Amino acid sequence: MSARELEGKVALVTGGSRGIGRAIAEALADGGAKVAVVARDGERAKAAAAALPGSGHAGFACDVSDPKQVNATLEAVEASVGPVDILVNNAGITRDNLLMRMKDEEFDEVIAANLKGAFNFTRAVTRGMMKRRDGSILNITSVVGLIGNAGQANYAASKAGLVGMTKSVARELASRNVRCNAIAPGFITTDMTGELNEKQVEELKGRIPLGDLGTPADVASAARFLVGPDARYITGQVLAVDGGMVM
Ligand code: NAI
């Protein structure tokens, strides 16, 4: 991988203010891209953008589940940062519950943020990418979307949906040189997994062949590769970054 292989590119990372999204934003900025950090909280998005290496980055407030906000945000990004060459759909939430207790809102909110949110941004960037005959889209799914998880019927459905969407978008846009891939992280140490207690973490480690949880940086280096020129012949793929949990 060359040191500045993303020089001249504009990347938009949803949920880029913390956790995995923030690490991806850092890795892409490190590769030379200008990064638009999108998060629900605009102040946090701006602070995250300001802390990135290099210049030309900016932060934007947007709820990805709202198509109007998404379209307006893309306009604002293109006006101030530039046309988007790389989209990373990373924003995601969990609302875990056992199936029998799961409320309609818990199901709907997770689908709206994780699946519809990715659709909203993908649809919004497609016209520009097709016109320029260049673009790369990366969806952050989860191993849970591949193998399921008790208590996460909503989340697993949203993440499995992203896998289907990734492959459909890859097929639909390939002739215009727009690629679409996904990363399925396993257990990564972030706020999302911070709620686990020590015993749960030890149990988890026993299920991971490489014997440890991953870090946001582990996901970010795979993301940088997949959106960049070294992956020019890769589309429609789901790469598990999970210490060997799913194989
Ligand atoms: P996190 O909770 O630390 O960060 C999620 C980010 O998404 C936050 O910046 C949040 O503001 C943003 N977000 C959530 N809903 C949004 C909405 N409607 N509009 C705009 N922004 C929104 O989570 P983490 O752990 O960094 O996860 C990032 C992605 O990776 C998620 O899609 C998650 O499902 C996925 N993932 C995480 C794993 C883990 O072990 N942490 C494992 C597998 C997948």
Side-chain angles (χ1 to χ4, degrees), residues 17-18 20 40 62-64 90 141 155 159 186 188 190 193:
S17 62
R18 66 179 204 209
I20 292 172
R40 277 171 303 191
C62 174
D63 181 341
V64 299
N90 161 82
T141 172
Y155 182 77
K159 294 300 190 181
I188 308 296
T190 65
T193 47

Side-chain angles (χ1 to χ4, degrees), residues 35-154:
V35 182
V37 175
V38 170
R40 277 171 303 191
D41 185 328
E43 291 312 310
R44 284 195 192 170
K46 287 193 175 83
L52 293 174
S55 61
H57 317 298
F60 300 84
C62 174
D63 181 341
V64 299
S65 63
D66 178 351
K68 282 202 189 96
Q69 284 189 41
V70 166
N71 293 338
T73 301
L74 184 68
E75 262 184 46
V77 168
E78 301 215 322
S80 66
V81 188
V84 173
D85 305 294
I86 297 165
L87 167 67
V88 181
N89 288 310
N90 161 82
I93 57 168
T94 52
R95 295 281 183 273
D96 299 354
N97 215 339
L98 293 174
L99 197 55
M100 279 172 56
R101 296 198 193 128
M102 190 172 285
K103 298 185 187 74
D104 287 334
E105 305 86 79
E106 288 170 338
F107 191 86
D108 294 344
E109 278 174 24
V110 167
I111 299 292
N114 299 7
L115 183 56
K116 184 77 190 318
F119 167 76
N120 289 335
F121 258 112
T122 301
R123 182 176 57 184
V125 299
T126 295
R127 188 188 302 274
M129 286 185 177
M130 283 173 67
K131 243 194 208 165
R132 294 188 295 277
R133 293 190 178 265
D134 185 34
S136 179
I137 299 167
L138 179 67
N139 294 321
I140 306 301
T141 172
S142 166
V143 289
V144 164
L146 306 176
I147 61 172
N149 196 21
Q152 291 198 308
N154 50 359

